[in-house]
Amino acid sequence: RFPNIYKYLDYFDRFFVFDANDVDKHPELLPLTNFFIPAKAISLKHENAYFIGSYDKYRFNIALAIKNMLESLEYNTNFSFVTKKSDFTTPLAIEYEENINNVKNSSLVVDIHVPIHAGLSFRIFEALCFNKKLITTNEAVRHYDFYNPNNIFIWNTTNSKQLNDFLEAPFMDIPEQIKNKYSFSNWINYVLDDNEYNKIELPVVY
């Protein structure tokens, strides 16, 4: 996505990317995902879907389609775009703590992936941390060790009829050993190659 970075690789001992295809093409790069900062989850009885992302037309149109589908299934929705466009009233930024509270207070997190890369966003790991169901457009997620079709629905614009079945399916707990691999404490130990850690790897997705 930012090819000029390659000329700076020699200035670093370890250089990480979150797209497995980059690692496959450049073996000197190391694999790394985003992470979550552990916090106590909230058990909810109401049905509420949360999305936040930077604005572009592609992402907006998909978000609108998902929002309309969820509302037709009687889900409350909290969708926001971060943008500098003057014709939008959305704030330019949201505090991290407010974002995490929005995730905690939602039963469902929505992630809309920009297909220029195959890396996973913070939304996916926040849903993992707080035991929230996830709708994502990122096909790569199905290759990760925490993927479970009861918990993660991969939206492809043609499978809307399966969405209600997904929402009604019980959430399946993910083993703590797998979850903890994506926590910040394991992430920073792996990045610094310090103390004991569970190595973070990326599945190759073509």
Side-chain angles (χ1 to χ4, degrees):
R1 190 174 186 182
F2 303 106
N4 286 338
I5 199 66
Y6 289 112
K7 62 186 178 183
Y8 297 103
L9 296 186
D10 290 340
Y11 292 99
F12 299 90
D13 296 322
R14 290 157 66 81
F15 201 96
F16 300 89
V17 291
F18 77 161
D19 188 332
N21 296 314
D22 289 334
V23 179
D24 192 45
K25 296 173 185 175
H26 302 276
E28 70 275 20
L29 303 179
L30 294 171
L32 188 67
T33 62
N34 283 313
F35 57 84
F36 63 78
I37 298 176
K40 187 176 181 180
I42 298 175
S43 297
L44 299 174
K45 294 182 180 179
H46 61 278
E47 295 175 336
N48 183 49
Y50 175 60
F51 166 81
I52 186 169
S54 57
Y55 174 83
D56 64 52
K57 187 175 182 181
Y58 169 85
R59 183 177 272 159
F60 180 83
N61 289 336
I62 292 178
L64 185 61
I66 294 175
K67 183 177 187 293
N68 290 339
M69 179 60 65
L70 288 169
E71 290 177 350
S72 74
L73 297 173
E74 300 184 347
Y75 256 73
N76 297 316
T77 57
N78 177 7
F79 280 40
S80 298
F81 280 94
V82 178
T83 177
K84 294 182 179 179
K85 286 181 171 289
S86 60
D87 53 339
F88 281 79
T89 58
T90 304
L92 294 183
I94 182 173
E95 295 290 337
Y96 176 74
E97 186 174 358
E98 181 182 352
N99 170 66
I100 291 300
N101 284 334
N102 287 340
V103 174
K104 287 182 178 181
N105 290 315
S106 301
S107 55
L108 174 69
V109 175
V110 177
D111 166 65
I112 301 174
H113 162 248
V114 178
I116 195 170
H117 63 77
L120 304 188
S121 75
F122 277 107
R123 295 293 86 76
I124 291 175
F125 296 100
E126 290 161 2
L128 177 66
C129 174
F130 297 113
N131 299 327
K132 306 298 181 181
K133 287 207 167 192
L134 172 76
I135 295 176
T136 181
T137 59
N138 193 338
E139 288 277 351
V141 73
R142 73 169 71 251
H143 302 286
Y144 283 77
D145 52 3
F146 57 82
Y147 173 74
N148 185 301
N150 273 40
N151 302 347
I152 300 175
F153 183 82
I154 301 173
W155 175 279
N156 61 18
T157 73
T158 64
N159 58 353
S160 299
K161 292 182 179 179
Q162 287 79 50
L163 180 58
N164 190 55
D165 291 338
F166 164 75
L167 296 174
E168 292 183 351
F171 183 90
M172 304 298 290
D173 290 334
I174 303 301
E176 287 299 313
Q177 183 178 4
I178 292 177
K179 286 183 64 173
N180 290 338
K181 181 165 66 173
Y182 302 100
S183 69
F184 179 74
S185 58
N186 186 69
W187 185 94
I188 193 64
N189 285 338
Y190 167 61
V191 167
L192 299 178
D193 195 20
D194 188 32
N195 298 317
E196 293 185 4
Y197 58 79
N198 192 348
K199 185 178 180 181
I200 298 172
E201 297 179 314
L202 301 173
V204 176
V205 180
Y206 294 99

